[in-house]
Amino acid sequence: RKESSAASDVYKRQNIRCARPDDIERIMELEAGGFHQRIQEEQSVMLERMHHFPQGFLVLANDSDVALGYLCSELWEIGSSLPHAAFALGHDIKDTHRADGSQLYISSMTVAPECRGSGLGKKFFQQSVHMLRTQLTHVRGAILLLSAEWTGAHKIYQDSGYTETARLKDFFASVAAHDADAIIMQSRFDEALR
């Protein structure tokens, strides 16, 4: 699908930056607009993630410096199996984040409802991951989890080089309409950034 020039023009006026504590009200509005109430993170969890790994909590800000989206991440060191419990809603980043972790775990990402379908979310995701890879040169891959029902998000991640590696049965049972599984997707960073 060809992106409209209006969406492209809107994106040129955006800035990706680290989230700040004064962004939290807007981040929570985005959280409410992006996720079912039963799977929204608490404000205290978001603030702790922002405090513990500020480099990994990014916002897409408009020309008035208002957040239109956010991406929250942490660094994991994954052994031979995935730590399924670490995917839990409200997990404490202090238990999972490792500064020298080789895997970027994207714990949450959304854009404002009015921005969806414009290509803005995909560009924000791709540019945020690129930015983090540039800053965190030891990171060798990324991992994320999404509902099997989030087809738009699935397409963004698939188009960005992520592949399904596992499913967690009934992970989203409290909010699913027809498929409660969670999909774990991963991407390997085989090439060094230049």
Side-chain angles (χ1 to χ4, degrees):
R1 179 178 120 202
K2 186 173 178 171
E3 183 179 313
S4 72
S5 65
S8 180
D9 289 345
V10 166
Y11 193 75
K12 289 177 185 173
R13 296 189 306 260
Q14 310 311 313
N15 176 45
I16 297 173
R17 61 168 173 77
C18 289
R20 303 180 303 248
D22 65 329
D23 291 317
I24 195 63
E25 284 185 31
R26 179 60 180 153
I27 288 168
M28 296 314 297
E29 289 172 7
L30 292 166
E31 180 79 357
F35 300 100
H36 189 284
Q37 183 178 359
R38 291 188 199 133
I39 60 169
Q40 291 173 22
E41 293 288 8
E42 297 289 330
Q43 180 173 318
S44 60
V45 171
M46 295 297 221
L47 284 169
E48 182 62 29
R49 291 177 182 173
M50 192 183 302
H51 173 76
H52 197 73
F53 184 41
Q55 187 177 12
F57 204 132
L58 305 174
V59 295
L60 174 67
N62 66 15
D63 55 2
S64 298
D65 204 35
V66 175
L68 298 177
Y70 76 84
L71 182 141
C72 182
S73 66
E74 52 198 75
L75 297 176
W76 285 2
E77 193 53 54
I78 299 172
S80 59
S81 64
L82 291 173
H84 292 174
F87 291 110
L89 181 69
H91 74 271
D92 189 338
I93 189 172
K94 291 179 284 189
D95 295 336
T96 53
H97 177 76
R98 302 289 174 261
D100 62 348
S102 65
Q103 299 296 310
L104 179 70
Y105 171 53
I106 300 160
S107 58
S108 191
M109 184 259 181
T110 193
V111 294
E114 64 272 16
C115 296
R116 294 189 193 132
S118 68
L120 196 63
K122 181 178 179 178
K123 282 187 176 183
F124 173 50
F125 175 77
Q126 290 174 343
Q127 290 192 1
S128 294
V129 171
H130 179 83
M131 187 171 146
L132 290 166
R133 282 184 66 193
T134 301
Q135 296 168 358
L136 305 165
T137 57
H138 65 282
V139 172
R140 295 292 167 244
I143 185 170
L144 54 86
L145 175 137
L146 69 154
S147 168
E149 295 184 339
W150 299 343
T151 56
H154 190 272
K155 178 151 179 42
I156 288 172
Y157 303 139
Q158 195 171 39
D159 289 351
S160 301
Y162 290 71
T163 57
E164 181 176 332
T165 57
R167 284 191 178 230
L168 301 180
K169 185 99 175 114
D170 295 327
F171 188 88
F172 288 102
S174 67
V175 297
H178 64 277
D179 188 345
D181 288 357
I183 298 172
I184 296 173
M185 298 184 82
Q186 290 182 271
S187 177
R188 288 192 183 146
F189 302 153
D190 295 327
E191 296 181 17
L193 289 176
R194 297 183 178 153

